[in-house]
Amino acid sequence: MNKRMHIVWAGLILTLVLAACQAQATPSASSSTGGSGAGNFSGAGGTGGGNFRNNPAFETRVAGDPALATRIASGGFGAGRATATPTPMPTIANVPTPTPTVITGSDLAAQTVQGYFTDLQNGNFNSASALLSAFSLLEANTTASQVADQLTQMKAQGYAWSGLKVVDSQPFNASTILVHVQYTLTAPDPKTNKPVQSQKDELWPVRQEAGQWLYNWQNIIDFNTLTVPVQEIYGLTIQPLQLTRYSDHLTMTVLAQNATSEPIVIGQPNEVLATFHFGSQSVDAVDTRYIIDSYRSYTNVNITVNGLYKTFPTSVDLIKSPSYPDQPWFTFNLGS
């Protein structure tokens, strides 16, 4: 019996000891959900070490530990740690997107003219002739190398080019742009053979060929091959063959044939060689005198009218006498 009582008392004492230890180890409830320490926090955060209440043991511990007190005061312990202020992102100014530069056909045509003229000025005639359109060379019945040789001869005779100014440019048709240029041309005087400077103001045609813009030699723009019936009067046969348009004039090439035994002269001072009709506009040709020898045929008689024309002429009157201005020798419908 005494042995059983001893066991009961021993169990009771052990229970009381365990209960006392559990009470000693269990902290007071925290009023905040934050923090990693054992303190009792009245606030969830903020600057400084927080506010610890109702825990005398912990306050005593803090009082006896200066390092722990400093840590709590600086916000470095549990929920008392200061909340970090986020660093604002740098403001990026609204920089406008640059507009891409659009290079037009007129810009490229002007570049071709500048390159061609620079080669002329520096005497690089092979490079200059490489900037000529095949169309213009074919129409002039020449080649790039022949043009280079011609320019070389001109330089030896005293020709020089300088002071180029590109004024502007304007599209003429789908394949041709006219570049307005001004420059100084030095050339030998026909009478004295001394160099004379003259100021030029011209339109240079630049043609698009195989993706390139190339200068048209002799300022040709285009041409129109004609299919016009032959006419004959007084033993003189005339047939218009082609209209060729340049930037400052237009030329009609005709076949002329004299079937008589005497020379025939056309374009005499008392005659109007030709009058071209551009719709309602009529323009007289440049006075030019031609002698058609007896029993001879000519395929290269050129009749020229000055100016730049957007369209080809619709008709032409040839050889008008002052005595009969309304009765020309020939009238051709050109069908343009």
Side-chain angles (χ1 to χ4, degrees), residues 102-327:
V102 178
I103 301 178
T104 65
S106 295
D107 297 329
L108 297 175
Q111 290 176 14
T112 295
V113 166
Q114 290 170 336
Y116 174 77
F117 194 92
T118 299
D119 288 334
L120 286 182
Q121 184 170 299
N122 295 335
N124 300 325
F125 300 131
N126 288 326
S127 296
S129 62
L131 294 174
L132 300 178
S133 68
F135 160 78
S136 64
L137 294 174
L138 181 64
E139 180 60 21
N141 194 27
T142 188
T143 64
S145 61
Q146 289 173 334
V147 170
D149 292 340
Q150 180 179 341
L151 293 172
T152 301
Q153 294 175 3
M154 292 174 65
K155 181 179 180 181
Q157 294 169 0
Y159 282 83
W161 301 262
S162 62
L164 174 70
K165 177 183 179 183
V166 176
V167 180
D168 56 32
S169 58
Q170 53 184 303
F172 185 82
N173 55 34
S175 61
T176 307
I177 292 175
L178 300 181
V179 181
H180 183 188
V181 299
Q182 296 173 345
Y183 64 97
T184 301
L185 175 65
T186 302
D189 183 87
K191 296 180 180 179
T192 65
N193 203 35
K194 293 182 178 180
V196 177
Q197 288 187 343
S198 59
Q199 301 301 314
K200 298 295 182 179
D201 192 315
E202 300 173 344
L203 294 174
W204 284 12
V206 182
R207 180 183 176 89
Q208 188 176 35
E209 283 186 353
Q212 289 183 294
W213 288 94
L214 301 171
Y215 171 57
N216 282 350
W217 177 244
Q218 295 182 336
N219 288 345
I220 184 175
I221 296 177
D222 54 12
F223 65 86
N224 184 22
T225 301
L226 300 173
T227 305
V228 180
V230 174
Q231 295 185 26
E232 185 271 334
I233 189 172
Y234 309 134
L236 177 63
T237 299
I238 295 291
Q239 182 184 23
L241 301 176
Q242 179 173 296
L243 291 167
T244 306
R245 180 162 46 187
Y246 298 84
S247 63
D248 61 353
H249 68 279
L250 182 143
T251 295
M252 182 176 70
T253 302
V254 305
L255 164 69
Q257 186 177 54
N258 182 0
T260 72
S261 60
E262 298 291 334
I264 298 176
V265 181
I266 61 175
Q268 300 186 65
N270 59 341
E271 294 177 341
V272 176
L273 177 61
T275 300
F276 290 90
H277 303 284
F278 300 84
S280 60
Q281 181 186 12
S282 298
V283 184
D284 288 341
V286 176
D287 291 333
T288 308
R289 184 170 178 264
Y290 290 100
I291 300 175
I292 313 300
D293 288 334
S294 59
Y295 306 115
R296 292 286 304 275
S297 295
Y298 301 84
T299 59
N300 58 350
V301 176
N302 293 322
I303 301 172
T304 299
V305 58
N306 288 328
L308 172 64
Y309 299 93
K310 280 286 188 179
T311 61
F312 288 105
T314 54
S315 64
V316 62
D317 299 326
L318 292 180
I319 314 172
K320 295 191 297 184
S321 170
S323 302
Y324 305 97
D326 297 329
Q327 298 179 16

Side-chain angles (χ1 to χ4, degrees), residues 8-27:
V8 171
W9 279 107
L12 180 60
I13 292 171
L14 180 61
T15 301
L16 291 176
V17 171
L18 291 175
C21 290
Q22 185 176 2
Q24 180 72 23
T26 302

